[in-house]
Amino acid sequence: AGIVAAAEKNISAIERLEIDNTTGPLITSTIYEGFRMLGDALLTAEGFETEGKDHHTEMIGRLMQLKVSTDRSLLVLDDLRRKRNKINYDGYLPTEDEVKDAVAIKNSLWKPLLAEVKSIIKR
């Protein structure tokens, strides 16, 4: 559960940031990492080792399998993963609209996925 608490702290921290051209990459990457950490915690709780070349894809993929009610498709998590990769590996600077979309994804999906992951981990 430590990784879930860390993810919650990271998401809480970026919620206080104003969106601008210096914070955009940090906000977008941190939102993605929060979801990735939930996937990691879930896979770990289920007895899977989350390492290797495709481990991020596996973590996000596991989250996308959850049955939660949201107003956005969980498939947007994979789009967020690709955007974060462009930021981290290519030095991409997301536009203000892209950062706002990442925040909208967090606003739509974070609480339901967090609650579901916590529920599964407790079982």
Side-chain angles (χ1 to χ4, degrees), residues 8 26 33 44-45 52 54 65 78-79 84-85 93-94 114 117:
E8 287 180 284
L26 175 66
E33 287 297 328
T44 300
D54 295 324
Q65 294 172 7
D78 199 52
D79 295 336
R84 178 263 186 196
N85 285 350
L93 293 175
L114 177 64
V117 168

Side-chain angles (χ1 to χ4, degrees), residues 60-114:
I60 292 299
R62 181 63 186 97
L63 277 186
M64 292 188 324
Q65 294 172 7
L66 295 177
K67 304 289 187 232
V68 293
S69 177
T70 62
D71 56 351
R72 285 189 77 164
S73 167
L74 296 183
L75 296 176
V76 296
L77 292 174
D78 199 52
D79 295 336
L80 191 58
R81 180 187 62 78
R82 284 194 293 276
K83 180 84 63 211
R84 178 263 186 196
N85 285 350
K86 285 173 57 176
I87 291 167
N88 282 21
Y89 302 122
D90 301 332
Y92 180 76
L93 293 175
T95 66
E96 185 175 333
D97 284 343
E98 288 172 321
V99 179
K100 287 180 178 177
D101 187 51
V103 171
I105 290 169
K106 179 209 39 96
N107 290 344
S108 175
L109 303 181
W110 179 254
K111 287 181 181 176
L113 286 173
L114 177 64

